[in-house]
Structure formats: C-alpha cells, structure tokens
Amino acid sequence: ALPISLSACARGHNWNLAIAMLLDMPCTDSACWNAVMSACEENGQWQMALALLQQTPEPDEVSFTAAIATCEKSGQLNVGKALLHQFTQRCTGYRTAFFLPWALAVLGVNEPTVIHGAVVEAMQAIAPRQHPPRKIATLAWACGRLGASNSRLLATLSDEVVPRINKFDVEELLLTAWGASAMDSQGRLLASIQDELLQRLKELNAADVPDRKS
C-alpha cells in the first residue's frame, strides 16, 4: 500500500519532499514510484521523472505514462519518443491497448503504419467488454488528434458511449466529442453527446431556479 505521508506529498505536488521520503524508505512497490513521478509531472520536472523511472524496480504502464506526460508538458518530445520506444520493447505483454494511441497523440507521432496498428489494437480491445469512460474518452481524443478516421472506429466508439452516456462526466463527454468531430463524425455519437449535454444544462438551470412557493 502507498504510505499515507508519501501519498499526501505526491497529491500536493510537493515533489522535493516526496522524492526525499521515497529514497529514505525501502519501497519496491511501483505504486510508490509512480505517485512521485506524477508529482514531478505536475511540476514539469522531466529530468527527475526520468531518473525515478530508471530506479523504479518494476516500471509499468503507469510509470511510463507519468514520465512521457512529463516530457510532453516540458516540450521534450524526442525524449518522450525514446521512452515510448523503450516501453514498447519492454512491456509488450502487459500494456493496455489504450496507452499507445494516447502516447502517439501527445508526442505528435505521425507515422501512418504505427498509428493504424495502434488504432486497430485499441478497437479490438474495446469490443469484448465495457471500459471506464475516461479510457474511452481519452481514446476518442487521441484518435481524433492522430487523424485516425474510419467508419468502424466511429461505430465502435458509438456502441461503447451511447448506451451508457450518463456514466460519462462533462469533461469525458467533451473529450469524446472533440475526437469524434476531428474524425469528421456527423452520426449518432456527436448527436447523442449534444443531447446529453443540453439535458444536463437544463437540469442545472432548473436546479438554480428558486422555488416560487418558498
């Protein structure tokens, strides 16, 4: 389990103290290292995030996500691409299909063959079961940014989002809508998101109207 004090420092983005605590304690759990790398990400400490990644006993997808995100926020795209290559070589057996499209999108990779392979893998992963709304929304955003437009992808996203659209928060709906729009979607996905957002806006406005009887 993540120590409470270390977790508090990481959540508070106090990366200096979090690193000191991490290096002072015998922690082989990657969750500890990932939490501190996430704090470095929020503070743009990309070099420190890389150093922590190299020391992480068993780096996983979360570890590389934090390190790559830190590089992207700091403008170190080439470093991030090198990390992505390292991850694909080391972690092929236990990465989720959602990671690669996200990483390619944030790092600005524009190799059509690589993008196509990542999108196909993601579509195959979506089909069998439902996934967390945040993952679906991020995938839609990533595919839109990568210009990965095809009818099967849009149909897959629609089938995943529309039946449980009420489970998506506003940010997730907006990410999904942006991705669908970037993929030139004019179908039921965008229409359903628009209807859902309008309904929530009406409910919000109705809740703000004072009760005339009171």
Side-chain angles (χ1 to χ4, degrees), residues 110-119:
N110 56 6
E111 299 175 30
T113 303
V114 175
I115 292 171
H116 176 74
V119 172

Side-chain angles (χ1 to χ4, degrees), residues 66 95 165:
R95 72 165 189 255
I165 198 168

Side-chain angles (χ1 to χ4, degrees), residues 28 30 34 55-60 63 90 94:
T28 58
S30 60
N34 293 344
Q55 296 180 62
T56 302
E58 295 184 12
D60 54 18
S63 311
R90 293 179 57 179
Y94 57 92

